[in-house]
Amino acid sequence: ARFDALNPQPPVRPGLELATATAAGDVLSINGLPPLRTPRAVPLLIQTAQAGPCQLVVTNLANFQGIRCVLMDATTGRTVPLVAGATYAFAATPGRSPRFRL
């Protein structure tokens, strides 16, 4: 809560917007979660202005050392381990969607 940053509905522009959603329905650009001691799923929202191919690239997992982190895609049903250098390609649809969970 102390490090959270609200993410209001951003203007639609080219590219991909990412945010997380809290149980209370807040949409956050920065989600300062407490240390992860038990498994939990964090909804990851995406927003795009237009349909088309997108790719998520994992560059750093510094805050997840010793924690197994995966990306779950609700549209395809795929679960992908997140490790440094991992990529995930998908077809995006316009608008804001709760497609993924971490």
Side-chain angles (χ1 to χ4, degrees):
R2 186 172 121 198
F3 299 107
D4 293 349
L6 288 175
N7 177 287
Q9 180 78 22
V12 177
R13 58 182 177 241
L16 181 69
E17 299 277 342
L18 296 173
T20 62
T22 67
D26 293 324
V27 176
L28 305 173
S29 292
I30 298 171
N31 190 344
L33 294 170
L36 300 172
R37 299 192 195 319
T38 59
R40 90 173 58 168
V42 178
L44 180 63
L45 306 174
I46 61 168
Q47 178 168 329
T48 59
Q50 58 190 25
C54 286
Q55 185 174 14
L56 298 175
V57 179
V58 179
T59 57
N60 187 325
L61 291 167
N63 293 326
F64 294 96
Q65 292 184 4
I67 297 172
R68 181 176 175 266
C69 193
V70 298
L71 177 73
M72 297 175 282
D73 185 335
T75 300
T76 66
R78 289 186 62 202
T79 298
V80 180
L82 295 181
V83 296
T87 61
Y88 184 71
F90 62 98
T93 56
R96 182 179 270 178
S97 165
R99 177 175 178 161
F100 298 106
R101 288 189 177 274
L102 294 175

